[in-house]
């Protein structure tokens, strides 16, 4: 039997039929319908008339709307076609040759400070609502608040007409200026109504079309040049000096960001200065060469749907095209996209709103001002979160306390008869300043304008500064300003750099996201810790105020030289002992840590001075479990036949800890053999150096190559200090300098490095400078060698720059003396190495090379702003070192064209003219050999910022560019090519070789660089 529904059951229980309710509803509806029909008999005529009138009005309205839309569409189409005309007319000169874009140079947000104190200029470009030089009230409030928040040394310029290539307001000096004045008045009036709002929107439409012009690849560059000229005129009007290097930031809101990006590259060429752009809710096309900018900061609200259209409308920003300018810039971290929070694009919900608040309580205006101001002041919270997945060798080495500077107390006074401070002993030609670089904190940078320097050694008159932290800066000279312009960059790590860090390579993590990083900061910040020890070249000493506190200031003109240790001794190693000085048993197979040494006696010229127990701490193995140095059998090493230079410092217990070593037999000016014939000398350079390298293992060799023209120079120049120098002094006389070409080989054997396990090993190439100095402990001449290492970022923490011999090679933990075969060619060629005296101004080609190398190494430390450098066909140690040589030789060849007075001076100085002709001839031969295809690489000619690009990113480009200079592609070929040119011109070459020197190392074997190219 079928059961009733619950509804029906409830109705029955209440005493009603379940079918009664529907019939009642139908009855009521019928009654209402009948009443309506009855009433309609009297109302139909009136209603019918009203409906007819309404339909006629609607039809007319629709017709007018359609006509308005048609007219509006035609107007927009015509306006779109005419939009480029102003830019094209400016380019073609339609507006007259006397057009002055300086009539309205903008206004300053605050009074102009003293020009010498200005650190940055900021130019504001408004959004598409701009119709004249003044802004809407919310924009004015933003700029006033921003100016008040920034320090006085940042200049903010406003009032530039962003949407006119002639910097002309819509309301002035135009055919329709009267119309735009009406529109602008309606836009500014809060009571203009809906008609006024719609009419004022015409300014937005007009300016949107201008933005479209800037995005067009046909007309955009022209518009960008015009806008750049307007901004240039404004900057110079307010005291900006082109070529000064003062950075400029273009701050663009909405469409103003697109205008700023289009003008930025031309402006950079005009000013010869770094340019970055802050895009505030910007709608940008992304089809600009953003790699040429310092950086683009793209700040956008989470609810800004207008900005999001840019990523949709412009294909250059689509991820589908990874090689587009926008995506390439993102890959190299040239673009930082940051959220402003829950904001819209404009109005009460936009970034200038003073009524809407973020969840943290700040108004939109306060959050926007803070984000922009922090970027401009270099203290933005946009920090990198790079994670280190694999520890570097440097991190391994840092775990040992003897590798840390704080392990060695500063209050040391070793016996001066046995120990000398490194600067005063090895390099007496410079002021004896030595210390540790300390990177300033981000909030200290504006006042320090350099780095901190912990003084470890100073001249006697400044001995009170030892142990103090002083300021280290560059001197303000024209040459230094040029150097800083070439090397100072904003640093933002690229994707390749972040990946490299994860693979265990050391990059300058502490300066990531820093603006305007100069070479001192990149040197101090290259490693995770402040452990870079350096000596300084003749600094000026001044007193300055830092944070209201008096500080001493050291101002330098040359890059600091990286060193190891603070003092050095000349001694022979007698035997291994324990800490108490007792000899170790022969059965002890462990690595000895303590040795008994005997100091050199200057009076007897023998090693019969005092004996001492010193410590050789066993070094930490690298990631391949290979220690960089060994101690076992050190006392028997043939390389120590003439004694050792021992570098280091005393620990807290007063025991001398040896951090680096150097064989005296290698550095003293007494060759093991001399070759006088030029042909034999070339054969030795090409084959003799490396073909018997295995027999040299554990030893050193010094060979002097003389030309037949100057065999009289074969006598040793180790003359007494008071002997007068003859008129035809030998090339390696005291105080003379020589070019060094450095080449090292690989680590083979049972514990071979991975790079040397294949059939080819290319080695490493570098230039350097050797100065002949009189070493005071032995009172004899030695080579003081400084390398200018163009060195990519690596796992060992080796920093590109100027490194002393004992730092790069002799350091027991970080150097290569104990594991690699090394060859240094010390080349003395008078026209190249000895300065010319141009009327009291001394300069040499060697000095020019050093300057170019210092520029190159400073660029290498930060990868031209990407934070990393990589080995490839186009960029490597050999290619980029020789780019520096090319630049030095080219500058020399251009000297006569640049300075006509030089030719007159040479006519009056025949001896100097002969030397100069020899130098020009050498330069011509070197250029011919370096560039066998007859043309220079484009980046060599312009010194473009092309470092920091992974070889995998642009394989075809790297191969093509590398092949143009193929003779400098391979280190050994480059070394022999350059050395041969010097030899052919009559140069003298001293060949210094070492091969895995130190303790016994049976587990490794030397690998010579592969001889390719001849």
């Amino acid at each position: 039997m079928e059961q009733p529904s619950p509804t029906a059951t409830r109705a029955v229980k209440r005493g009603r039929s379940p079918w009664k309710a529907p019939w009642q509803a139908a009855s009521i509806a019928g009654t209402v319908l009948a009443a309506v029909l009855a009433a309609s008999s009297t109302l139909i005529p009136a209603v019918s008339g009203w409906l007819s009138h309404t339909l006629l009005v609607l039809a007319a309205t629709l017709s007018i709307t359609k006509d308005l839309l048609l007219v509006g569409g035609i107007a927009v189409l015509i306006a779109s076609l005419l939009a480029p005309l102003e830019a094209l007319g400016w380019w073609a000169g339609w507006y007259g040759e006397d057009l002055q874009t300086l009539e309205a140079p903008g206004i300053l947000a605050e009074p102009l400070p003293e020009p010498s104190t200005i650190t940055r200029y900021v130019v504001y470009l408004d959004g598409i609502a701009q119709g004249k030089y003044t802004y809407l009230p919310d924009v004015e409030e933003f700029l006033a608040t921003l100016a008040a928040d920034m320090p006085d040394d940042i200049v903010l310029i406003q009032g530039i007409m962003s949407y006119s290539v002639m910097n002309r307001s819509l309301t002035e000096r135009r055919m329709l200026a009267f119309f735009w004045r009406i529109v602008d008045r309606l836009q500014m009036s809060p009571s203009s109504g809906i008609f006024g709002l719609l009419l004022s929107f015409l300014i937005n439409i007009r300016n949107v079309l201008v933005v479209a012009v800037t995005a067009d690849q046909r007309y955009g560059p022209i518009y960008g040049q015009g806008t750049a000229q307007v901004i240039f005129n404004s900057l110079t009007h307010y005291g900006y000096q082109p070529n000064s290097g003062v950075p400029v930031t273009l701050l663009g809101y909405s469409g103003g960001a697109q205008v700023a990006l289009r003008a930025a590259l031309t402006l950079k060429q005009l000013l010869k200065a770094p340019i970055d752009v802050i895009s505030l809710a910007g709608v940008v096309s992304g089809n600009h060469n953003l790699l040429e900018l310092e950086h683009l900061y793209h700040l956008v609200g989470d609810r800004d749907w207008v900005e999001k259209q840019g990523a949709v409308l412009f294909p250059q920003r689509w991820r589908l095209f990874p090689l587009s300018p926008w995506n390439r810039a993102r890959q190299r971290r040239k673009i930082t996209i940051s959220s402003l929070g829950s904001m819209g694009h404009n109005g009460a919900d936009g970034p200038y709103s003073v009524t809407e608040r973020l969840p943290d309580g700040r108004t939109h205006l306060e959050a926007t001002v803070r984000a922009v101001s922090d970027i401009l002041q270099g203290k933005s919270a946009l920090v990198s979160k790079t994670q280190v997945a694999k520890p570097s060798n440097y991190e391994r080495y840092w775990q040992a306390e003897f590798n840390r500077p704080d392990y060695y107390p500063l209050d040391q006074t070793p016996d001066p008869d046995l120990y000398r401070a490194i600067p005063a002993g090895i390099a007496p030609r410079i002021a004896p300043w030595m210390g540790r670089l300390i990177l300033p904190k981000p909030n200290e940078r504006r006042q320090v304008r350099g780095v901190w320097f912990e003084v470890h050694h100073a001249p006697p008159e400044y001995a009170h500064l030892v142990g103090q932290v002083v300021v280290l800066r560059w001197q303000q000279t024209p040459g230094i300003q040029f150097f800083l312009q070439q090397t100072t960059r904003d640093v933002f790590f690229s994707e390749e750099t972040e990946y490299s860090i994860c693979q265990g390579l050391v990059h300058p993590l502490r300066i990531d996201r820093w603006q305007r990083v100069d070479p001192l900061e990149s040197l101090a910040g290259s490693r995770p810790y402040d452990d870079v020890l350096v000596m300084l070249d003749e600094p000026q000493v001044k007193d300055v105020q830092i944070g209201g506190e008096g500080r001493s200031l050291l101002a330098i003109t040359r890059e600091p030289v990286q060193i190891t240790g603070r003092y050095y001794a000349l001694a022979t190693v007698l035997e291994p002992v324990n800490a108490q000085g007792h000899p170790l048993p022969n059965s002890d197979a462990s690595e000895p840590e303590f040795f008994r040494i005997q100091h050199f006696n200057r009076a007897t010229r023998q090693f019969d001075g005092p004996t001492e127990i010193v410590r050789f701490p066993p070094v930490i193995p690298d990631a391949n479990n290979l220690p960089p140095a060994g101690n076992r059998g050190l006392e028997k090493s043939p390389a120590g036949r003439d004694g050792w230079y021992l570098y280091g410092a005393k620990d807290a217990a007063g025991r001398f800890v040896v951090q680096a070593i150097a064989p005296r037999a290698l550095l003293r000016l007494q060759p093991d053999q001399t070759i006088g014939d030029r042909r034999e000398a070339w054969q030795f350079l090409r084959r003799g150096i490396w073909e018997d390298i295995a027999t040299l293992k554990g030893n050193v060799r010094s060979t002097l190559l003389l030309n037949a023209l100057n065999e009289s120079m074969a006598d040793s120049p180790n003359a007494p200090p008071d002997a007068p120098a003859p008129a035809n002094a030998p090339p390696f006389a005291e105080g003379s300098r020589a070019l060094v070409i450095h080449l090292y080989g690989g680590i083979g054997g049972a514990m071979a490095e991975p790079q040397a396990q294949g059939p080819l090993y290319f080695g490493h190439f570098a230039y350097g400078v050797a100065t002949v100095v009189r070493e005071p402990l032995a009172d004899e001449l030695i080579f003081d060698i400084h390398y200018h290492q163009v060195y990519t970022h690596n796992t060992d923490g080796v920093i590109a720059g100027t490194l002393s011999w004992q730092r790069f090679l002799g350091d027991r933990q970080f150097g290569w003396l104990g594991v690699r075969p090394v060859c240094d060619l010390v080349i003395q060629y008078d026209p190249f190495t000895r300065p010319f005296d141009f009327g009291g101004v001394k300069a040499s080609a060697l000095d020019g090379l050093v300057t170019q190398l210092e520029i190159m190494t400073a660029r290498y430390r930060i990868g031209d702003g990407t934070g990393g450098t990589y080995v490839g066909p186009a960029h490597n140690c050999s290619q980029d070192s020789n780019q520096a040589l090319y630049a030095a030789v080219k500058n020399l060849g251009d000297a006569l064209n640049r300075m006509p007075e030089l030719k007159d001076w040479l006519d009056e100085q025949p001896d100097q003219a002969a030397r100069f002709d020899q130098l020009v001839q050498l330069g011509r031969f070197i250029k011919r050999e370096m560039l066998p295809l007859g043309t220079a690489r484009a980046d060599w000619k312009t010194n473009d910022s092309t470092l920091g690009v992974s070889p995998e990113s642009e394989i075809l480009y790297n191969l093509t560019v590398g092949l143009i200079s193929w003779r400098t592609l391979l280190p050994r070929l480059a070394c022999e090519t350059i050395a041969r040119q010097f030899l052919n011109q009559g140069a003298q070459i001293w060949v210094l070789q070492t091969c895995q020197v130190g303790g016994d190392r049976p587990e490794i074997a030397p690998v010579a660089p592969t001889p390719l190219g001849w």
Side-chain angles (χ1 to χ4, degrees), residues 579-599:
Q580 292 73 35
H582 302 302
L584 295 178
N586 294 332
S587 59
D588 190 346
S590 62
E591 190 83 356
E593 183 172 0
F594 299 93
F595 285 85
R596 190 189 313 280
I597 66 170
Q598 191 159 24
H599 290 271

Side-chain angles (χ1 to χ4, degrees), residues 378-394:
K379 55 181 184 181
S380 174
L382 303 177
V383 296
S384 176
K385 301 296 182 183
T386 302
Q387 299 294 322
V388 180
K390 180 181 178 182
S392 64
N393 283 344
Y394 171 80

